[in-house]
Coordinates of all heavy atoms in Angstrom, one line a residue:
M26 N 0.9 -1.2 0.0 CA 0.0 0.0 0.0 C 0.9 1.2 0.0 O 1.9 1.3 0.7 CB -0.9 0.0 1.2 CG -1.8 1.1 1.3 SD -2.9 1.3 2.7 CE -3.4 -0.4 3.1
P27 N 0.5 2.3 -0.8 CA 1.3 3.5 -0.8 C 1.3 4.2 0.5 O 0.4 4.1 1.3 CB 0.6 4.3 -1.9 CG -0.2 3.4 -2.7 CD -0.5 2.3 -1.8
S28 N 2.4 4.9 0.8 CA 2.5 5.7 2.0 C 1.5 6.8 2.1 O 1.1 7.4 1.0 CB 3.9 6.2 2.3 OG 4.2 7.1 1.2
G29 N 0.9 7.1 3.2 CA 0.0 8.2 3.4 C -1.5 7.8 3.1 O -2.4 8.6 3.1
I30 N -1.7 6.5 2.8 CA -3.0 6.0 2.5 C -3.5 5.2 3.7 O -2.8 4.4 4.3 CB -3.0 5.0 1.3 CG1 -2.5 5.7 0.1 CG2 -4.4 4.5 1.1 CD1 -3.3 6.9 -0.4
N31 N -4.7 5.6 4.2 CA -5.3 4.9 5.3 C -6.6 4.3 4.9 O -7.4 4.9 4.2 CB -5.5 5.9 6.5 CG -4.2 6.5 7.0 OD1 -3.3 5.8 7.1 ND2 -4.3 7.7 7.3
I32 N -6.9 3.1 5.4 CA -8.1 2.4 5.1 C -9.0 2.4 6.3 O -8.5 2.0 7.4 CB -7.9 1.0 4.6 CG1 -7.1 1.0 3.3 CG2 -9.2 0.2 4.4 CD1 -6.7 -0.4 2.8
I33 N -10.2 2.9 6.2 CA -11.1 2.9 7.4 C -12.3 1.9 7.0 O -13.0 2.1 6.0 CB -11.7 4.3 7.6 CG1 -10.6 5.3 7.8 CG2 -12.7 4.3 8.7 CD1 -11.0 6.7 7.9
E34 N -12.4 0.9 7.9 CA -13.5 -0.1 7.7 C -14.5 0.0 8.8 O -14.1 0.2 10.0 CB -12.9 -1.5 7.7 CG -12.0 -1.7 6.5 CD -11.4 -3.2 6.5 OE1 -12.0 -4.0 7.1 OE2 -10.5 -3.4 5.8
P35 N -15.7 -0.1 8.5 CA -16.7 -0.1 9.6 C -16.7 -1.4 10.4 O -16.2 -2.4 9.9 CB -18.1 0.1 8.8 CG -17.8 -0.4 7.5 CD -16.3 -0.2 7.2
F36 N -17.2 -1.3 11.6 CA -17.3 -2.5 12.5 C -18.4 -3.4 12.0 O -19.4 -2.9 11.4 CB -17.6 -2.1 13.9 CG -16.4 -1.4 14.6 CD1 -16.4 0.0 14.7 CD2 -15.4 -2.2 15.1 CE1 -15.3 0.6 15.3 CE2 -14.3 -1.6 15.7 CZ -14.3 -0.2 15.8
K37 N -18.3 -4.6 12.2 CA -19.3 -5.6 11.7 C -19.7 -6.4 12.9 O -18.9 -6.8 13.8 CB -18.6 -6.6 10.7 CG -19.6 -7.5 10.1 CD -18.9 -8.3 9.0 CE -19.8 -9.3 8.3 NZ -19.2 -10.1 7.3
S38 N -21.0 -6.6 13.0 CA -21.6 -7.4 14.1 C -21.7 -8.8 13.7 O -21.9 -9.1 12.6 CB -22.9 -6.8 14.6 OG -23.9 -7.0 13.5
F39 N -21.6 -9.7 14.7 CA -21.7 -11.1 14.5 C -22.8 -11.6 15.3 O -23.4 -10.9 16.2 CB -20.4 -11.8 14.9 CG -19.2 -11.4 14.0 CD1 -18.3 -10.5 14.4 CD2 -19.1 -12.0 12.7 CE1 -17.3 -10.1 13.6 CE2 -18.1 -11.6 11.9 CZ -17.1 -10.7 12.3
R40 N -23.2 -12.8 15.1 CA -24.4 -13.4 15.8 C -24.3 -13.3 17.3 O -25.2 -12.9 18.0 CB -24.6 -14.8 15.4 CG -25.8 -15.5 15.9 CD -26.0 -16.9 15.4 NE -26.1 -16.8 13.9 CZ -26.1 -17.9 13.1 NH1 -26.0 -19.1 13.6 NH2 -26.2 -17.8 11.8
N41 N -23.2 -13.6 17.9 CA -23.0 -13.6 19.3 C -22.2 -12.4 19.8 O -21.9 -12.3 21.0 CB -22.3 -14.9 19.8 CG -23.0 -16.1 19.5 OD1 -24.3 -16.1 19.5 ND2 -22.3 -17.2 19.2
N42 N -22.0 -11.5 18.9 CA -21.2 -10.3 19.4 C -21.8 -9.0 18.7 O -21.2 -8.6 17.7 CB -19.7 -10.5 18.9 CG -18.8 -9.5 19.5 OD1 -19.2 -8.7 20.4 ND2 -17.6 -9.4 19.0
P43 N -22.8 -8.4 19.3 CA -23.4 -7.2 18.7 C -22.4 -6.0 18.9 O -21.5 -6.1 19.8 CB -24.6 -7.0 19.5 CG -24.4 -7.7 20.8 CD -23.5 -8.8 20.5
I44 N -22.5 -5.0 18.1 CA -21.6 -3.8 18.2 C -22.1 -2.9 19.2 O -23.3 -2.8 19.5 CB -21.4 -3.2 16.8 CG1 -22.7 -2.6 16.2 CG2 -20.8 -4.1 15.8 CD1 -22.5 -1.9 15.0
T45 N -21.2 -2.1 19.8 CA -21.5 -1.1 20.9 C -22.1 0.2 20.2 O -22.0 0.4 19.0 CB -20.3 -0.8 21.7 OG1 -19.3 -0.2 20.9 CG2 -19.7 -2.1 22.3
E46 N -22.5 1.1 21.1 CA -23.0 2.4 20.6 C -21.9 3.2 20.0 O -22.1 3.9 19.0 CB -23.7 3.2 21.7 CG -25.1 2.8 22.1 CD -26.0 2.9 20.9 OE1 -26.0 4.0 20.2 OE2 -26.8 2.0 20.6
F47 N -20.7 3.1 20.6 CA -19.6 3.8 20.0 C -19.3 3.3 18.6 O -19.0 4.1 17.6 CB -18.3 3.7 20.9 CG -17.1 4.2 20.2 CD1 -16.9 5.6 20.1 CD2 -16.2 3.3 19.6 CE1 -15.7 6.1 19.5 CE2 -15.0 3.8 19.0 CZ -14.8 5.2 18.9
Q48 N -19.3 2.0 18.4 CA -19.1 1.4 17.1 C -20.2 1.8 16.1 O -19.9 2.0 14.9 CB -19.0 -0.1 17.2 CG -17.7 -0.6 18.0 CD -17.7 -2.1 18.3 OE1 -18.8 -2.7 18.4 NE2 -16.6 -2.6 18.4
K49 N -21.4 1.9 16.5 CA -22.5 2.4 15.7 C -22.3 3.8 15.2 O -22.5 4.1 14.1 CB -23.8 2.3 16.4 CG -24.3 0.8 16.5 CD -25.7 0.8 17.2 CE -26.1 -0.6 17.5 NZ -27.4 -0.6 18.2
D50 N -21.8 4.7 16.2 CA -21.5 6.1 15.8 C -20.4 6.1 14.8 O -20.4 6.9 13.9 CB -21.2 6.9 17.1 CG -22.4 7.1 17.9 OD1 -23.6 7.0 17.4 OD2 -22.2 7.3 19.1
F51 N -19.4 5.3 15.1 CA -18.2 5.3 14.2 C -18.7 4.8 12.8 O -18.2 5.4 11.8 CB -17.1 4.3 14.7 CG -15.9 4.2 13.8 CD1 -14.9 5.2 13.9 CD2 -15.8 3.1 13.0 CE1 -13.8 5.1 13.0 CE2 -14.7 3.0 12.2 CZ -13.7 4.0 12.2
N52 N -19.5 3.8 12.7 CA -20.0 3.3 11.4 C -20.8 4.4 10.7 O -20.7 4.6 9.4 CB -20.9 2.1 11.6 CG -20.1 0.9 11.9 OD1 -18.9 0.9 11.8 ND2 -20.8 -0.2 12.2
R53 N -21.6 5.2 11.4 CA -22.3 6.4 10.8 C -21.3 7.4 10.2 O -21.5 7.9 9.1 CB -23.2 7.0 11.8 CG -24.5 6.2 12.1 CD -25.4 7.0 12.9 NE -26.3 6.1 13.6 CZ -26.2 5.7 14.8 NH1 -25.3 6.2 15.6 NH2 -27.1 4.8 15.3
W54 N -20.2 7.7 11.0 CA -19.2 8.6 10.5 C -18.5 8.1 9.2 O -18.4 8.8 8.3 CB -18.2 8.8 11.6 CG -17.1 9.7 11.2 CD1 -17.1 11.1 11.0 CD2 -15.7 9.3 10.9 NE1 -15.9 11.5 10.7 CE2 -15.0 10.4 10.6 CE3 -15.1 8.1 10.9 CZ2 -13.7 10.4 10.2 CZ3 -13.8 8.0 10.6 CH2 -13.1 9.2 10.2
V55 N -18.2 6.8 9.2 CA -17.6 6.2 8.0 C -18.5 6.3 6.9 O -18.2 6.6 5.7 CB -17.2 4.7 8.3 CG1 -16.8 4.0 7.0 CG2 -16.0 4.7 9.3
S56 N -19.8 6.0 7.1 CA -20.8 6.1 6.1 C -20.9 7.5 5.5 O -21.1 7.6 4.3 CB -22.2 5.6 6.6 OG -23.2 5.7 5.6
S57 N -20.8 8.5 6.3 CA -21.0 9.9 5.8 C -19.8 10.2 4.9 O -20.0 10.9 3.9 CB -21.1 10.9 7.0 OG -19.8 10.9 7.7
I58 N -18.6 9.7 5.2 CA -17.4 10.0 4.4 C -17.6 9.2 3.1 O -17.3 9.7 2.0 CB -16.1 9.5 5.1 CG1 -15.9 10.5 6.2 CG2 -15.0 9.5 4.1 CD1 -14.7 10.0 7.1
R59 N -18.1 8.0 3.2 CA -18.2 7.1 2.0 C -19.2 7.7 1.0 O -19.0 7.6 -0.2 CB -18.7 5.7 2.5 CG -18.7 4.7 1.5 CD -19.0 3.4 2.1 NE -18.9 2.3 1.2 CZ -19.0 1.0 1.5 NH1 -19.2 0.7 2.7 NH2 -18.9 0.1 0.6
V60 N -20.3 8.3 1.5 CA -21.3 8.9 0.6 C -20.6 10.0 -0.3 O -20.9 10.1 -1.5 CB -22.5 9.5 1.4 CG1 -23.3 10.4 0.6 CG2 -23.3 8.3 2.0
V61 N -19.8 10.8 0.3 CA -19.2 11.9 -0.4 C -18.3 11.3 -1.5 O -18.3 11.8 -2.7 CB -18.4 12.8 0.5 CG1 -17.6 13.8 -0.2 CG2 -19.3 13.5 1.5
V62 N -17.5 10.3 -1.2 CA -16.6 9.7 -2.1 C -17.3 9.1 -3.3 O -17.0 9.2 -4.4 CB -15.6 8.7 -1.4 CG1 -14.8 7.9 -2.4 CG2 -14.7 9.4 -0.4
E63 N -18.3 8.3 -2.9 CA -19.1 7.6 -4.0 C -19.8 8.6 -4.9 O -20.0 8.3 -6.1 CB -20.1 6.6 -3.4 CG -19.4 5.4 -2.8 CD -20.3 4.4 -2.1 OE1 -21.5 4.6 -2.2 OE2 -19.8 3.4 -1.6
D64 N -20.3 9.7 -4.4 CA -21.0 10.7 -5.2 C -20.0 11.3 -6.2 O -20.3 11.6 -7.3 CB -21.6 11.8 -4.3 CG -22.9 11.4 -3.7 OD1 -23.4 10.3 -4.1 OD2 -23.3 12.1 -2.8
A65 N -18.7 11.6 -5.7 CA -17.7 12.1 -6.6 C -17.3 11.1 -7.7 O -17.2 11.5 -8.9 CB -16.4 12.4 -5.8
I66 N -17.2 9.9 -7.4 CA -16.9 8.9 -8.4 C -18.1 8.8 -9.4 O -17.8 8.7 -10.6 CB -16.6 7.5 -7.7 CG1 -15.3 7.5 -6.9 CG2 -16.6 6.4 -8.8 CD1 -15.1 6.3 -6.1
G67 N -19.3 8.8 -8.9 CA -20.4 8.8 -9.8 C -20.5 10.0 -10.7 O -20.9 9.9 -11.9
G68 N -20.1 11.2 -10.2 CA -20.1 12.4 -11.0 C -19.1 12.3 -12.1 O -19.3 12.8 -13.2
V69 N -17.9 11.7 -11.8 CA -16.9 11.6 -12.9 C -17.3 10.5 -13.9 O -17.1 10.7 -15.1 CB -15.6 11.2 -12.2 CG1 -14.5 10.9 -13.3 CG2 -15.1 12.3 -11.4
K70 N -18.1 9.5 -13.5 CA -18.5 8.5 -14.4 C -19.6 8.9 -15.4 O -19.8 8.3 -16.4 CB -19.0 7.3 -13.6 CG -17.9 6.4 -13.0 CD -18.5 5.2 -12.4 CE -17.4 4.3 -11.9 NZ -18.0 3.1 -11.3
R71 N -20.2 10.1 -15.1 CA -21.1 10.6 -16.0 C -20.5 10.9 -17.4 O -21.2 10.9 -18.4 CB -21.7 11.9 -15.5 CG -22.7 11.8 -14.4 CD -23.2 13.1 -14.0 NE -24.2 12.9 -13.0 CZ -25.0 13.9 -12.6 NH1 -24.9 15.1 -13.2 NH2 -25.9 13.7 -11.7
L72 N -19.2 11.2 -17.4 CA -18.5 11.5 -18.7 C -17.9 10.2 -19.3 O -16.9 10.3 -19.9 CB -17.5 12.6 -18.4 CG -18.1 13.9 -18.0 CD1 -17.0 14.8 -17.6 CD2 -19.0 14.5 -19.1
R73 N -18.5 9.1 -19.0 CA -17.9 7.8 -19.5 C -17.7 7.8 -21.0 O -16.8 7.3 -21.6 CB -18.7 6.7 -19.1 CG -18.2 5.3 -19.5 CD -19.1 4.2 -19.1 NE -18.6 3.0 -19.8 CZ -18.2 2.0 -19.1 NH1 -18.1 2.0 -17.8 NH2 -17.7 0.9 -19.8
S74 N -18.7 8.4 -21.7 CA -18.6 8.4 -23.2 C -17.3 9.1 -23.7 O -16.7 8.7 -24.7 CB -19.8 9.1 -23.8 OG -19.8 10.4 -23.4
A75 N -16.8 10.1 -22.9 CA -15.6 10.7 -23.3 C -14.4 9.8 -23.2 O -13.5 9.8 -24.0 CB -15.3 12.0 -22.4
F76 N -14.4 8.9 -22.2 CA -13.3 7.9 -22.0 C -13.4 6.9 -23.1 O -12.3 6.5 -23.6 CB -13.4 7.2 -20.7 CG -13.3 8.1 -19.5 CD1 -14.3 8.4 -18.6 CD2 -12.1 8.7 -19.3 CE1 -14.1 9.2 -17.6 CE2 -11.9 9.6 -18.2 CZ -12.9 9.8 -17.3
E77 N -14.5 6.4 -23.5 CA -14.6 5.4 -24.5 C -14.1 5.9 -25.9 O -13.5 5.1 -26.6 CB -16.0 4.9 -24.6 CG -16.5 4.1 -23.4 CD -17.9 3.7 -23.5 OE1 -18.6 4.0 -24.5 OE2 -18.3 3.0 -22.6
R78 N -14.3 7.1 -26.2 CA -13.8 7.7 -27.5 C -12.3 7.7 -27.4 O -11.6 7.6 -28.4 CB -14.4 9.0 -27.7 CG -15.8 9.0 -28.1 CD -16.3 10.4 -28.4 NE -17.8 10.4 -28.2 CZ -18.4 11.5 -27.8 NH1 -17.8 12.5 -27.4 NH2 -19.7 11.4 -27.7
V79 N -11.7 8.0 -26.3 CA -10.3 8.3 -26.2 C -9.5 6.9 -26.2 O -8.4 6.9 -26.7 CB -9.9 9.0 -24.9 CG1 -8.5 9.1 -24.6 CG2 -10.5 10.4 -25.0
R80 N -10.1 5.8 -25.9 CA -9.4 4.6 -25.8 C -8.8 4.2 -27.2 O -7.8 3.5 -27.2 CB -10.4 3.4 -25.4 CG -10.6 3.4 -23.9 CD -11.3 2.2 -23.6 NE -12.1 2.4 -22.3 CZ -13.0 1.7 -21.9 NH1 -13.3 0.6 -22.5 NH2 -13.6 1.9 -20.7
K81 N -9.4 4.6 -28.2 CA -8.9 4.3 -29.5 C -7.6 5.0 -29.9 O -6.9 4.6 -30.8 CB -10.0 4.6 -30.6 CG -11.2 3.8 -30.4 CD -12.3 4.2 -31.3 CE -13.6 3.4 -31.0 NZ -14.7 3.9 -31.8
F82 N -7.4 6.1 -29.2 CA -6.2 6.9 -29.5 C -5.1 6.6 -28.5 O -5.0 5.5 -27.9 CB -6.5 8.4 -29.4 CG -7.6 8.7 -30.4 CD1 -8.9 9.1 -30.0 CD2 -7.3 8.7 -31.8 CE1 -9.9 9.4 -30.9 CE2 -8.3 9.0 -32.7 CZ -9.6 9.4 -32.3
L83 N -4.2 7.5 -28.3 CA -3.0 7.3 -27.4 C -3.5 7.2 -25.9 O -4.4 7.8 -25.5 CB -2.0 8.5 -27.6 CG -1.5 8.6 -29.0 CD1 -0.6 9.9 -29.1 CD2 -0.7 7.4 -29.4
T84 N -2.7 6.5 -25.1 CA -3.0 6.3 -23.7 C -3.0 7.6 -22.9 O -3.8 7.7 -22.0 CB -2.1 5.3 -23.1 OG1 -2.0 4.1 -24.0 CG2 -2.5 4.9 -21.7
F85 N -2.1 8.5 -23.2 CA -2.0 9.7 -22.4 C -3.2 10.6 -22.5 O -3.5 11.4 -21.6 CB -0.7 10.5 -22.7 CG -0.7 11.2 -24.0 CD1 -1.2 12.5 -24.0 CD2 -0.3 10.6 -25.1 CE1 -1.2 13.2 -25.2 CE2 -0.3 11.3 -26.3 CZ -0.8 12.6 -26.4
R86 N -3.9 10.4 -23.6 CA -5.2 11.2 -23.7 C -6.2 10.8 -22.6 O -7.0 11.6 -22.2 CB -5.8 11.0 -25.1 CG -4.9 11.5 -26.2 CD -5.3 13.0 -26.4 NE -4.6 13.4 -27.6 CZ -4.3 14.7 -27.7 NH1 -4.5 15.6 -26.8 NH2 -3.7 15.0 -28.8
A87 N -6.2 9.5 -22.2 CA -7.1 9.1 -21.2 C -6.9 9.8 -19.9 O -7.8 10.2 -19.2 CB -7.0 7.5 -21.0
D88 N -5.6 10.0 -19.6 CA -5.3 10.8 -18.4 C -5.8 12.2 -18.5 O -6.3 12.8 -17.5 CB -3.8 10.8 -18.1 CG -3.2 9.5 -17.7 OD1 -4.0 8.6 -17.2 OD2 -2.0 9.2 -18.0
Q89 N -5.6 12.8 -19.6 CA -6.1 14.2 -19.8 C -7.6 14.2 -19.7 O -8.2 15.2 -19.2 CB -5.6 14.7 -21.2 CG -4.2 15.0 -21.3 CD -3.7 15.4 -22.7 OE1 -4.5 15.2 -23.6 NE2 -2.5 15.9 -22.8
T90 N -8.3 13.2 -20.3 CA -9.7 13.2 -20.3 C -10.2 13.0 -18.8 O -11.2 13.7 -18.4 CB -10.2 12.0 -21.1 OG1 -9.7 12.2 -22.4 CG2 -11.7 12.0 -21.2
L91 N -9.5 12.2 -18.0 CA -9.9 12.1 -16.6 C -9.8 13.4 -15.9 O -10.6 13.7 -15.1 CB -9.1 11.0 -16.0 CG -9.4 10.7 -14.5 CD1 -10.8 10.2 -14.4 CD2 -8.5 9.7 -13.9
Q92 N -8.7 14.1 -16.1 CA -8.5 15.4 -15.5 C -9.6 16.4 -15.9 O -10.1 17.1 -15.0 CB -7.2 16.0 -15.9 CG -6.0 15.3 -15.2 CD -4.7 15.8 -15.7 OE1 -4.6 16.7 -16.5 NE2 -3.6 15.3 -15.0
V93 N -10.0 16.4 -17.1 CA -11.1 17.2 -17.6 C -12.4 16.8 -16.9 O -13.2 17.7 -16.4 CB -11.3 17.2 -19.1 CG1 -12.6 17.9 -19.5 CG2 -10.1 17.8 -19.8
A94 N -12.7 15.5 -16.8 CA -13.9 15.0 -16.2 C -13.9 15.4 -14.7 O -15.0 15.8 -14.2 CB -14.0 13.5 -16.3
V95 N -12.8 15.3 -14.0 CA -12.8 15.6 -12.6 C -13.0 17.2 -12.4 O -13.7 17.6 -11.6 CB -11.4 15.2 -11.9 CG1 -11.3 15.8 -10.6 CG2 -11.4 13.7 -11.9
G96 N -12.4 17.9 -13.3 CA -12.6 19.4 -13.3 C -14.0 19.8 -13.5 O -14.5 20.7 -12.8
L97 N -14.7 19.1 -14.5 CA -16.1 19.5 -14.8 C -17.0 19.0 -13.6 O -17.9 19.7 -13.3 CB -16.5 18.8 -16.0 CG -16.0 19.3 -17.3 CD1 -16.4 18.5 -18.5 CD2 -16.5 20.8 -17.5
H98 N -16.6 17.9 -13.0 CA -17.4 17.5 -11.8 C -17.3 18.5 -10.7 O -18.3 18.9 -10.1 CB -17.0 16.1 -11.3 CG -17.6 15.7 -10.0 ND1 -18.9 15.4 -9.9 CD2 -17.0 15.6 -8.8 CE1 -19.2 15.1 -8.6 NE2 -18.0 15.3 -7.9
N99 N -16.0 18.9 -10.4 CA -15.8 19.9 -9.3 C -16.5 21.2 -9.6 O -17.1 21.8 -8.7 CB -14.3 20.1 -9.1 CG -13.6 19.0 -8.5 OD1 -14.3 18.1 -7.9 ND2 -12.3 18.9 -8.7
L100 N -16.5 21.6 -10.9 CA -17.2 22.9 -11.3 C -18.7 22.7 -11.1 O -19.4 23.6 -10.5 CB -16.9 23.2 -12.7 CG -17.6 24.4 -13.3 CD1 -17.0 25.7 -12.6 CD2 -17.4 24.5 -14.8
R101 N -19.3 21.6 -11.4 CA -20.7 21.3 -11.3 C -21.1 21.3 -9.8 O -22.1 21.9 -9.4 CB -21.1 20.0 -11.9 CG -22.5 19.7 -11.9 CD -22.9 18.4 -12.6 NE -22.2 17.3 -12.0 CZ -22.6 16.5 -11.0 NH1 -23.8 16.9 -10.4 NH2 -22.0 15.5 -10.5
V102 N -20.2 20.8 -8.9 CA -20.5 20.7 -7.5 C -20.4 22.1 -6.9 O -21.3 22.5 -6.1 CB -19.5 19.8 -6.8 CG1 -19.6 19.9 -5.3 CG2 -19.8 18.3 -7.2
R103 N -19.5 22.9 -7.3 CA -19.3 24.3 -6.8 C -20.4 25.2 -7.2 O -20.8 26.1 -6.5 CB -18.0 24.9 -7.2 CG -16.8 24.3 -6.5 CD -15.6 25.1 -6.8 NE -14.4 24.3 -6.2 CZ -13.3 24.1 -6.8 NH1 -13.1 24.6 -8.0 NH2 -12.3 23.5 -6.2
L104 N -21.0 25.0 -8.4 CA -22.0 25.9 -8.9 C -23.4 25.5 -8.4 O -24.4 26.1 -8.9 CB -22.0 26.0 -10.4 CG -20.7 26.6 -11.0 CD1 -20.7 26.6 -12.5 CD2 -20.5 28.0 -10.5
R105 N -23.6 24.5 -7.6 CA -24.9 24.1 -7.1 C -25.5 25.2 -6.3 O -24.9 25.8 -5.5 CB -24.8 22.8 -6.3 CG -24.7 21.6 -7.2 CD -24.8 20.4 -6.3 NE -24.5 19.2 -7.2 CZ -24.2 18.0 -6.7 NH1 -24.2 17.8 -5.5 NH2 -24.0 17.0 -7.5

């Protein structure tokens, strides 16, 4: 795993071991972060047609297209 990357996993309850209130609050916090990340990924995926056209050309164009897609997503979010 690259340095500076942290993975946060929610707690899981088992049949004989229910989770505590603190663990439930932690899971809600993780869920709130996860929603933001998944919305951002979904916003970038809206421009999937742009990626499919670029695949036929040079590979570095895909990186440029991703940067444009992320920029357009950020602009759309800011202008809400």
Side-chain angles (χ1 to χ4, degrees):
M26 182 182 320
S28 63
I30 303 294
N31 297 319
I32 296 176
I33 301 173
E34 295 182 17
F36 290 100
K37 186 176 182 181
S38 64
F39 295 100
R40 187 176 299 172
N41 297 329
N42 190 13
I44 60 176
T45 65
E46 280 301 315
F47 171 76
Q48 291 171 333
K49 287 180 184 179
D50 290 339
F51 180 80
N52 286 352
R53 283 188 203 100
W54 177 74
V55 170
S56 177
S57 67
I58 293 173
R59 190 174 184 171
V60 165
V61 173
V62 171
E63 289 180 2
D64 284 347
I66 292 170
V69 172
K70 283 185 177 181
R71 285 183 178 191
L72 297 173
R73 181 183 170 116
S74 61
F76 295 114
E77 290 178 359
R78 290 183 200 142
V79 172
R80 282 189 204 168
K81 298 175 185 173
F82 300 109
L83 301 174
T84 309
F85 75 91
R86 293 273 188 209
D88 293 336
Q89 291 175 344
T90 306
L91 181 62
Q92 290 177 352
V93 169
V95 169
L97 288 173
H98 170 72
N99 289 339
L100 180 66
R101 185 176 59 86
V102 169
R103 286 189 188 136
L104 294 179
R105 282 187 188 165

